[in-house]
């Protein structure tokens, strides 16, 4: 803890407390800045504005004593999710693999030679034995090779709820699963947009058939803290030029 100079006893208590609080402000700001440095990457769970759909025209309610238009479900139909609140089981099978290779090679060489055989007024034997010969050579060789490979594999199952229906009939689904064991909590969140025709029997759909997918898997607790970086290390990482 930083040491602060002692205040004179002749000052009033209220003024002494105010000065002490002002002295603690820089230390609190420094600790706050250290805690906010080097933020952890997070997945944006908000829907991506890919296509702006037209506003739906509200249909006039045609309700009767028993029939309700908002909750109408035909008697003979495939029990496929299509209304807000319906449940869809998502099979997460996300696998992304990318490989990039680059190879370059350069080999260049050159030579230069020149000689003087005779000059008027100078004896011919003056240029013998290579006395007036000029020669030069150069050689350059460069070789480079690089490889970049990235592979991500994510698999699992989560049950999501239909949170919205677009005018074209596509469903917005969102789900969350939390599993706590001892002092650790494992959190899995999912969001996406799915075409009802892609939903198979049993309201099961693969994540590869879902658009605008957002998947987040995180852990909270002692295990996650053990893999974290302390505030002092984050401070030096932000100051490091490399």
């Amino acid at each position: 803890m930083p040491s602060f100079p002692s205040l004179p006893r002749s000052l009033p208590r209220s003024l002494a407390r105010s000065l002490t609080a002002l002295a603690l402000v820089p230390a609190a700001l420094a600790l706050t800045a250290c805690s906010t440095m080097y933020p952890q990457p997070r997945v944006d769970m908000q829907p991506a504005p890919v296509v702006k759909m037209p506003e739906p025209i509200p249909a006039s309610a045609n309700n009767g004593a028993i029939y309700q238009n908002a909750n109408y479900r035909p008697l003979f139909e495939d029990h496929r999710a299509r209304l807000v609140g319906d449940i869809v089981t998502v099979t997460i099978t996300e696998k992304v693999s990318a490989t990039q290779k680059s190879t370059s090679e350069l080999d260049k060489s050159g030579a230069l030679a020149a000689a003087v055989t005779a000059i008027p007024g100078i004896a011919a034997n003056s240029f013998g034995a290579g006395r007036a010969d000029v020669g030069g050579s150069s050689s350059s060789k460069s070789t480079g090779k690089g490889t970049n490979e990235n592979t991500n594999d994510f698999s699992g199952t989560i049950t999501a709820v239909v949170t919205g229906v677009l005018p074209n009939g596509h469903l917005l689904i969102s789900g969350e699963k939390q599993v706590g064991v001892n002092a650790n909590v494992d959190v899995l969140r999912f969001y996406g947009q799915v075409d009802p025709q892609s939903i198979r029997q049993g309201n099961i759909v693969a994540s590869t058939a879902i658009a605008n997918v957002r998947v987040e898997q995180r852990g909270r607790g002692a295990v996650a803290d053990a893999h974290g970086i302390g505030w002092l290390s984050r401070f030096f990482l932000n100051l490091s030029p490399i």
Side-chain angles (χ1 to χ4, degrees), residues 11-31:
L11 293 176
R13 291 186 177 180
S14 60
L15 180 59
R17 292 176 181 175
S18 301
L19 293 176
T20 304
L22 291 176
L24 292 175
V25 169
L29 291 176
L31 294 177

Side-chain angles (χ1 to χ4, degrees), residues 152-164:
N152 296 319
D153 193 356
F154 193 105
S155 60
T157 303
I158 185 173
T159 300
V161 179
V162 178
T163 59

